[in-house]
Amino acid sequence: MADDASGHAWQGVFGRLWPAYRQWYVRDGSLARPSFLACRRALELHMPEFVPRWAKLAELAGGGDLAARFLSLWCPPAYDSACSQAIWPGHEPLLVRNYDYSSKLFDALILHTQWGTRRVLGTSDCLVGLVDGINEDGLALSLTFGGRREVGVGFGVPIVLRYVLETCSTVAEAAVALARIPTHMAYNVTALDASGARVTVHLSPDRPAQVTTAAVATNHQPGFEVSGHVYQTATIEREHYLLRRLTLHQEPQDKFIAAFLRPPLFSLAHERSRATLYTAAFRPRQKTLTYLWPNIQWTLDVNHFEPGSRHIYYPTD
């Protein structure tokens, strides 16, 4: 779906998805979430450039207090996912990722926006955020859950990815922004730009961000604690599998991408809400994003976007 500065297309999506998100946001009671003023102050402090767009979205959402608070994603309820991502070591910058999550909680929306000075294309989450995306400068971002259950004071990471793609052009700029913005849970964010520069930033609510040049991220962080999540998601096995592919032999990018469509990276764990919902391949020099499923491939261009749809069947969670 394409949306412009008016936000009218987004407004229709909000009307469709807000009832479910409202139920999730107030699951512990509305008083468990920060006040309107606290949300606004957090945005003004950490993402000042995004405040006018947040205010516009809140207006389009009806101007209500609860919707405005939700759209800030400041201290939302806890949630997690799985996911794998890696940067291909070939001649062209290429970031590939699997998004593993519950199909029932998935926006199932690819959103192309021009809310500010940059066109941004990515996978919508929480209406205002993205779980991955690319902007017109060729900066690509993708996230995985960091595997740690600590919850602190910070933003839900989807709005952080949105903000970085709206305001940054390069990996160097993205790394600075990612390291300074607090997140309420642990996440790994990998960034790649058209020059081939890369970074993976390990975000946590209770420790400083760790900025690395790691080419692979799954669902744990450096110096991680062994937990049930480690075993449930096979995060170490998936990381080792990707590292072997990167270091033991060279392969063409189509073969590298195809590996994400097979086990151990491709997950069928629908009963545990951690199945692979899609594979995505980001090509920063071409400014394109390709979504893949077994037997289906769909390429979109951030600078020449053509809206469309694909019908994907997911078994019931």
Side-chain angles (χ1 to χ4, degrees):
M1 185 192 81
D3 190 47
D4 57 20
S6 72
H8 291 154
W10 178 90
Q11 188 176 37
V13 174
F14 178 87
R16 176 169 57 88
L17 298 182
W18 171 235
Y21 272 118
R22 185 187 188 283
Q23 183 178 11
W24 169 73
Y25 190 66
V26 299
R27 70 184 187 189
D28 302 315
S30 63
L31 295 180
R33 307 273 67 82
S35 68
F36 173 87
L37 287 178
C39 293
R40 184 180 182 94
R41 287 169 183 156
L43 285 169
E44 289 173 340
L45 177 62
H46 300 290
M47 306 184 207
E49 303 94 331
F50 197 68
V51 171
R53 173 47 51 175
W54 167 75
K56 176 68 174 178
L57 295 178
E59 177 186 344
L60 291 168
D65 171 83
L66 191 65
R69 291 156 63 192
F70 165 76
L71 291 170
S72 75
L73 283 191
W74 178 245
C75 298
Y79 54 87
D80 64 57
S81 59
C83 310
S84 306
Q85 58 201 27
I87 295 172
W88 181 63
H91 61 280
E92 178 187 6
L94 173 68
L95 169 62
V96 187
R97 68 98 98 256
N98 275 3
Y99 184 62
D100 302 345
Y101 197 49
S102 168
S103 61
K104 294 179 181 178
L105 305 178
F106 182 36
D107 282 7
L109 176 66
I110 300 165
L111 192 57
H112 181 273
T113 59
Q114 191 161 9
W115 288 349
T117 60
R118 290 179 175 83
R119 299 181 188 92
V120 175
L121 172 66
T123 312
S124 172
D125 190 51
C126 295
L127 292 165
V128 70
L130 300 167
V131 293
D132 50 48
I134 187 169
N135 67 21
E136 65 177 52
D137 297 316
L139 176 65
L141 297 179
S142 177
L143 67 85
T144 73
F145 178 56
R148 302 177 64 242
R149 299 293 186 178
E150 284 76 8
V151 179
V153 177
F155 291 97
V157 74
I159 198 172
V160 178
L161 265 66
R162 160 68 71 180
Y163 171 78
V164 172
L165 289 171
E166 293 280 352
T167 60
C168 299
S169 298
T170 66
V171 158
E173 293 172 356
V176 172
L178 289 166
R180 70 171 175 79
I181 299 173
T183 57
H184 83 309
M185 294 188 73
Y187 287 92
N188 307 316
V189 180
T190 297
L192 180 69
D193 65 24
S195 75
R198 75 182 191 217
V199 69
T200 292
V201 184
H202 303 286
L203 307 173
S204 296
D206 57 345
R207 60 179 68 169
Q210 295 177 272
V211 180
T212 75
T213 58
V216 172
T218 51
N219 303 124
H220 58 276
Q221 298 184 327
F224 70 95
E225 302 88 355
V226 176
S227 66
H229 190 81
V230 168
Y231 300 110
Q232 293 166 10
T233 63
T235 176
I236 299 173
E237 291 82 356
R238 287 182 285 117
E239 180 189 53
H240 288 176
Y241 175 80
L242 283 167
L243 289 172
R244 286 195 299 270
R245 296 196 77 92
L246 294 179
T247 59
L248 296 183
H249 57 85
Q250 294 182 345
E251 59 186 356
Q253 61 174 255
D254 58 345
K255 187 174 181 181
F256 182 70
I257 294 170
F260 282 78
L261 295 167
R262 301 188 302 269
L265 301 180
F266 193 88
S267 170
L268 294 174
H270 290 278
E271 75 286 354
R272 290 185 283 118
S273 299
R274 292 197 181 98
T276 299
L277 301 184
Y278 63 85
T279 298
F282 300 85
R283 294 179 173 86
R285 287 183 187 162
Q286 299 179 26
K287 317 294 195 298
T288 62
L289 162 54
T290 299
Y291 289 92
L292 303 104
W293 300 268
N295 304 314
I296 299 177
Q297 182 171 313
W298 187 16
T299 297
L300 299 167
D301 189 319
V302 68
N303 289 322
H304 305 282
F305 180 73
E306 296 184 8
S309 64
R310 299 293 186 274
H311 297 282
I312 308 299
Y313 170 76
Y314 298 116
T316 301
D317 289 346

